[in-house]
């Protein structure tokens, strides 16, 4: 490294002047580094530097930077026609095509060009960094530096420590990333690294719920977005990314984890990819899109009126028993104390399905429904039918639950509602990331919020719901399905058993 004591002003090379390369050039040039950009396509690097300059120039128009600062940043960026121009670089970040052989060849060529102390980093999102490093003479100076699109706005990057990466290499990459205003999270060289790994649960469990005919894609999205605070539901996200792209990521992470059942892709996906239902880009995915790209909203269910005087029983153990009682009284119900006298019985189980809950309290499942205690009742209500709930009881329940204007999602019998199942899966995967030391707890929590836009870190979210409740949901799912994907992480089991929080200080692990 030319100036190892001061990493605030390095010479950084960026190879690959596409979507990601441009963002990386902009980030480091704005942070005060000298940046050299190279691309195999003649003229591509010059075009990229012009593009970046025009993006930064907007900051002058908006008064965010002065014309003088703009000139300085512009002066720090240089387009290269030949790779040998990268010879003085302290760090080179590669953002070329996602192909192992092409990347390995490039890294070998780069090693021959740069100085002995230079660091080579790959922006790969799916390859094993050690596979790239294995082609190099100095693997200790090779790491991953995984940014997200758009780079200047997605304020997080993963520093991937491959098995032979030196701590100093990790520290330098962390330093330049944090110096550029991004949160650098350190992760092991494991499939999906940290963020794509932690993000699996939303998709796998969302798909599983639809596969089991528990709810429709739009029901799943509505509940998770409105009641749990996700920016988008899994099906909206899949439509945005494109199922052709996402299906490959799902399959690759599953295979790289030696067919770990937690990441098993859904059989719903392949036929939809074959049919070209990719999402927004093909005009139809889980949703249909009109000519302007606007989502065609699915038809909402026909509203029914609540039959006044209907006998309603509310499980006294329900988390929101008082709220439910008020709602029933206001809707004109006759609230009864004995469930056997009720036309409609309402429960709020954690983990158990509606049928099991009815049988547990000795009631006829035909007159029972359950409502999710996890989602705030004032935002959206998820109402679960038993296997035999009558159409009369179902219509009365829907009429009751939307009588004050709050939207209702009707789901079929399932151990855990939409939100319970998805949240338990997300928390369980995060617990396993912590258990395996793929990242520190602090990095995991920040990475998920910054990289996936979740309103909370997954372990803190688990603490808010309650570790023992998460465990109950997983065990109920495991018992109901026999599927090992629901087996709880040891991290979760121990902490739930001991009554300890899931967010454990890293020093205390
Ligand atoms: P891109 O297709 O927009 O750009 C790739 C650029 O690399 C092109 O300009 C191409 O001419 C150049 N290139 C290809 N082979 C080269 C070689 N041997 N030497 C020099 N230049 C070469 O690709 P994009 O989307 O920027 O992705 C780049 C890398 O970043 C990939 O590894 C990808 O997996 C990863 N990535 C992409 C993200 C995204 O959202 N696009 C997000 C995170 C990582």
């Amino acid at each position: 490294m030319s100036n190892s004591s001061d990493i605030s002003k390095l010479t950084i090379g960026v190879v690959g002047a596409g979507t990601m390369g441009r963002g990386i050039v902009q980030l480091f040039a704005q942070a005060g580094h000298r940046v050299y950009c190279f691309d195999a396509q003649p003229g591509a690097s010059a075009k990229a530097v012009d593009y970046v300059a025009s993006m930064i120039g907007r900051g002058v128009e908006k008064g965010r930077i002065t014309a003088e600062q703009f000139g300085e940043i512009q002066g720090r960026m240089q387009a290269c026609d030949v790779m040998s121009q990268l010879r003085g670089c302290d760090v080179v970040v590669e953002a070329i095509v996602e192909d192992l052989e092409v990347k390995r060849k490039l890294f070998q060529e780069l090693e021959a060009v740069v100085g002995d102390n230079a660091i080579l980093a790959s922006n790969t999102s799916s390859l094993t960094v050690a596979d790239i490093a294995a082609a190099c003479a100095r693997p200790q100076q090779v790491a991953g530096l995984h940014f997200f699109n758009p780079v200047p706005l997605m304020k997080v990057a993963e520093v991937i420590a491959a098995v032979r990466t030196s701590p100093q290499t990790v520290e330098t990459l962390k330093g330049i990333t944090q110096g550029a205003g991004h949160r650098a999270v350190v992760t092991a060289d494991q499939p999906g690294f940290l963020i794509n790994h932690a993000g699996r649960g939303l998709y796998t469990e969302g798909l599983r719920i639809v596969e089991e005919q528990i709810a429709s894609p739009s029901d799943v999205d509505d509940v998770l977005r409105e009641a749990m605070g996700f920016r988008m539901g899994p099906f909206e996200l899949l439509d945005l990314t494109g199922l052709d792209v996402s299906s490959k990521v799902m399959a690759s992470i599953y295979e790289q984890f030696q067919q770990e059942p937690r990441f098993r892709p859904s059989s719903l996906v392949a036929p939809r990819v074959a049919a070209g239902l990719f999402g927004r880009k093909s005009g139809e995915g889980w949703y249909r899109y009109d000519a302007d790209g606007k989502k065609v909203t699915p038809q909402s269910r026909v509203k029914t009126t609540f039959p006044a005087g209907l006998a309603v029983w509310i499980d006294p153990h329900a988390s929101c028993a008082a709220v439910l009682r008020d709602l029933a009284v206001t809707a004109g119900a006759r609230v009864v104390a004995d469930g056997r006298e009720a036309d409609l019985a309402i429960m709020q189980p954690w983990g158990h399905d509606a049928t099991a809950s009815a049988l547990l309290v000795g009631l006829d499942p035909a007159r029972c429904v359950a409502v999710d205690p996890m989602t705030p009742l004032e935002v959206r209500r998820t109402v679960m039918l038993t296997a035999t709930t009558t159409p009369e009881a179902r219509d009365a329940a829907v009429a009751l639950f939307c009588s004050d204007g709050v939207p209702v999602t009707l789901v079929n019998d399932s151990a855990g509602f939409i939100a319970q199942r998805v949240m338990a899966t997300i928390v369980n995967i995060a617990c396993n990331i912590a258990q395996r030391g793929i990242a520190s707890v602090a990095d995991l929590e920040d990475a998920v919020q910054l990289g996936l836009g979740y309103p909370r870190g997954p372990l803190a979210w688990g603490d808010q719901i309650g570790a023992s409740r998460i465990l109950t949901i997983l065990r109920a799912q495991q018992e109901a399905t026999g599927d090992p994907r629901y087996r709880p992480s040891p991290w979760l089991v121990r902490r739930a058993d001991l009554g300890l929080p899931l967010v454990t200080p890293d020093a205390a692990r």
Side-chain angles (χ1 to χ4, degrees), residues 19-366:
T19 311
M20 297 305 286
R22 290 172 182 208
I24 299 166
V25 168
Q26 179 176 343
L27 184 78
F28 285 131
Q30 281 181 319
H33 302 287
R34 173 160 289 282
V35 183
Y36 287 82
C37 176
F38 171 71
D39 195 283
Q41 283 285 331
S45 59
K47 241 172 100 179
V49 167
D50 286 348
Y51 171 83
V52 173
S54 74
M55 293 304 285
I56 300 170
R58 288 189 194 170
V60 182
E61 286 158 29
K62 291 182 182 159
R64 275 198 234 111
I65 53 167
T66 64
E68 196 189 346
Q69 286 167 323
F70 171 65
E72 284 168 11
I73 298 169
Q74 209 176 11
R76 288 198 289 269
M77 298 190 289
Q78 189 177 328
C80 304
D81 299 321
V82 285
M83 198 192 291
S84 58
Q85 287 176 274
L86 303 178
R87 78 179 73 82
C89 288
D90 302 299
V91 175
V92 178
V93 184
E94 164 275 312
I96 67 164
V97 59
E98 187 78 339
D99 179 306
L100 178 61
E101 283 318 311
V102 181
K103 286 198 200 276
R104 284 167 70 113
K105 186 164 171 284
L106 173 75
F107 272 63
Q108 281 174 339
E109 289 167 1
L110 283 170
E111 257 194 337
V113 164
V114 296
D116 286 352
N117 295 325
I119 289 173
L120 303 181
S122 173
N123 188 51
T124 181
S125 46
S126 64
L127 302 172
T128 303
V129 176
D131 262 338
I132 303 172
C136 296
R138 298 185 289 272
Q140 69 278 8
Q141 284 153 241
V142 177
L145 185 56
H146 185 211
F147 287 97
F148 294 80
N149 188 21
V151 178
L153 300 181
M154 293 292 290
K155 301 253 173 220
V156 63
E158 295 171 322
V159 177
I160 300 133
V163 279
R164 298 182 75 171
T165 307
S166 73
Q168 201 194 335
T169 298
V170 170
E171 280 314 305
T172 303
L173 292 176
K174 244 177 92 172
I176 60 171
T177 304
Q178 306 247 109
H182 276 33
R183 172 78 163 86
V185 294
V186 180
T187 165
D189 191 12
Q190 287 288 298
F193 307 130
L194 176 54
I195 294 174
N196 279 337
H197 182 172
R200 287 304 89 204
L202 185 65
Y203 300 106
T204 55
E205 201 53 19
L207 281 158
R208 189 59 185 240
I209 288 167
V210 170
E211 195 179 294
E212 288 174 9
Q213 300 281 303
I214 307 303
S216 70
S218 64
D219 285 337
V220 173
D221 285 347
D222 287 346
V223 168
L224 294 174
R225 192 180 353 86
E226 292 173 23
M228 296 311 295
F230 287 89
R231 280 188 199 154
M232 274 193 252
F235 297 95
E236 291 160 334
L237 273 167
L238 288 170
D239 270 6
L240 185 69
T241 317
L243 199 59
D244 51 336
V245 175
S246 303
S247 62
K248 289 193 188 121
V249 178
M250 293 191 252
S252 134
I253 291 189
Y254 173 62
E255 291 302 332
Q256 289 182 69
F257 269 118
Q258 317 297 323
Q259 307 191 340
E260 160 60 55
R262 288 196 179 96
F263 306 120
R264 192 190 312 123
S266 168
S267 63
L268 292 182
V269 170
R272 300 183 73 89
V273 172
L277 300 177
F278 300 152
R280 286 184 174 273
K281 62 178 161 190
S282 64
E284 186 172 357
W286 302 98
Y287 297 93
R288 280 194 294 114
Y289 299 88
D290 65 18
D292 304 325
K294 264 188 78 184
K295 191 165 104 183
V296 180
T297 325
Q299 262 200 330
S300 54
R301 86 179 1 255
V302 184
K303 281 202 180 123
T304 47
T305 10
F306 183 74
L310 195 82
V312 172
W313 176 80
I314 289 149
D315 183 354
H317 299 110
S319 317
C320 311
V323 177
L324 292 173
R325 205 171 299 119
D326 285 351
L327 182 71
V329 169
T330 312
R334 184 165 55 85
V335 177
V336 294
D338 186 346
R340 286 165 301 182
E341 292 167 13
D343 301 308
L344 176 67
I346 300 167
M347 294 154 300
Q348 284 203 293
W350 288 94
H352 290 299
D353 63 24
T355 302
S357 307
L359 295 175
L360 207 66
V361 289
L363 292 181
D364 177 5

